[in-house]
Amino acid sequence: MKIETLRWMNNKLEMIDQRVLPASFQYLAYDSAASVAEGIRSMVVRGAPAIGVAAAYGVALEALRLQGASLVDFHSGMEAGFTVLERSRPTAVNLFWALQRMHTVWSMVKGQKNEAVAQRLLEEAHEILAEDIRINRAMGAFGAELLPDGARVLTHCNAGALATAGWGTALGVFRSAVEAGKKISVIADETRPFLQGARLTAWEMVQENIPVTLITDNMAGFMMSRGEIDAVVVGTDRVASNGDVANKIGTYMVAVLARRHNIPFYVACPLSTIDMSIVGGADIPIEERSADEVKGFRDYHWAAEGVSIRNPSFDVTPAELVTALITERGVVRQPNRDKLRALFG
Ligand code: MRU
């Protein structure tokens, strides 16, 4: 089954509602920058590359929506659209990368008729989507070579087709390994509190007939100590210029455990996720989400009323714990500033 996380239908962006998967599979339709921003904020769409693609379509939708307006209103409306999208979520740098790319295209065609500008922006959004799938395929091929036949691989959160335009980053590595004839099996961390592992990674792997075993986050150390995990592959929301990796909360814990047990810790990472403007992981903005996500799930709350709650959504794994970054330009072992600079050549 081909998972189309985002698709262009009847002049609207449609996105799978990831809040209700796997219990229900449904698309929601979007027709403006503000509505796409709300879809990103509320996690209808999530995962760094998918957020970037959604934001690019948000810009194109805003241009289509405003194309009948005067030039002045079109310009001010477009700037407001960029701003509302920029404010949707703070950690995944792909959002800002995609908006920057759309802004550059917009600056190049600004003098043309509104309709032509809107069409050009839509073309660019389509290209960002198509490019994302090509990049995931390239990363998948490099990453698959790192996994031995029969490997039991742990992953955290969901860095799959649902987190991208298709194929996936970490799960793309698994898909490519299977395509190359390797027998691999996946251990999926549940990923509290939003349950991306239990709901999304497990669902993707089951659809694909890739053997998958679900564990709660606190079981990873036990599994490693028993020799039941051969490698870890995760995705990332932002890599700093020194190689520090921000990813879903709990990733740091997995990386520390992997080092303790001499298990390779790989991060699948398109170049659009590397932020060369940031010196180290401490400078990466970490989103704090609602306490409701920790209190319980959806409407059911199990935590004691009145307890204070923290909900940082991401953590930072220092570069020294990263065995290698898997990028579309190849594998970067023991990443550091010089190696990342060289990647951008
Ligand atoms: O809060 P989310 O679900 O958007 O967080 C997603 C992750 O942390 C993913 O691991 C990351 O974006 C990489 S997706 C290819």
Side-chain angles (χ1 to χ4, degrees), residues 1-132:
M1 175 197 177
K2 187 168 156 260
I3 299 169
E4 276 187 299
T5 304
L6 314 102
R7 65 182 186 195
W8 187 249
M9 278 278 180
N10 307 321
N11 280 328
K12 289 194 175 129
L13 172 68
E14 291 192 349
M15 304 196 285
I16 298 173
D17 186 352
Q18 301 194 31
R19 299 168 306 178
V20 296
L21 269 175
S24 111
F25 182 92
Q26 65 192 55
Y27 279 94
L28 298 178
Y30 294 84
D31 61 4
S32 67
S35 64
V36 172
E38 180 52 24
I40 295 172
R41 196 203 56 73
S42 64
M43 313 258 280
V44 167
V45 67
R46 29 68 48 202
I51 292 173
V53 176
Y57 277 107
V59 171
L61 283 166
E62 198 59 12
L64 288 167
R65 197 175 74 83
L66 296 172
Q67 60 188 348
S70 71
L71 205 58
V72 173
D73 289 350
F74 184 70
H75 280 194
S76 62
M78 286 302 291
E79 287 299 359
F82 277 104
T83 304
V84 75
L85 286 161
E86 254 162 39
R87 292 186 180 155
S88 56
R89 286 190 82 188
T91 305
V93 75
N94 305 62
L95 174 79
F96 307 100
W97 170 89
L99 289 174
Q100 180 61 55
R101 180 158 155 180
M102 295 300 282
H103 206 275
T104 304
V105 169
W106 184 44
S107 310
M108 285 178 341
V109 292
K110 247 181 190 168
Q112 298 178 16
K113 288 211 165 70
N114 293 351
E115 289 77 6
V117 172
Q119 281 312 314
R120 178 66 193 90
L121 289 170
L122 181 59
E123 264 169 41
E124 193 65 15
H126 289 328
E127 176 50 27
I128 290 175
L129 180 142
E131 203 178 278
D132 186 57

Side-chain angles (χ1 to χ4, degrees), residues 162-183:
L162 288 167
T164 61
W167 203 246
T169 63
L171 300 196
V173 170
F174 306 157
R175 287 190 166 96
S176 296
V178 169
E179 204 175 62
K182 288 184 179 171
K183 283 198 168 43

Side-chain angles (χ1 to χ4, degrees), residues 192 290-297 300-305 307 309:
R192 283 272 293 140
S290 158
D292 286 347
E293 291 180 355
V294 177
K295 272 187 195 161
F297 191 66
Y300 186 73
H301 288 175
W302 52 70
E305 272 316 313
V307 67
I309 288 175

Side-chain angles (χ1 to χ4, degrees), residues 231-247:
V232 177
V233 184
V234 294
T236 169
D237 291 84
R238 193 185 298 224
V239 174
S241 63
N242 67 344
D244 290 349
V245 169
N247 191 45

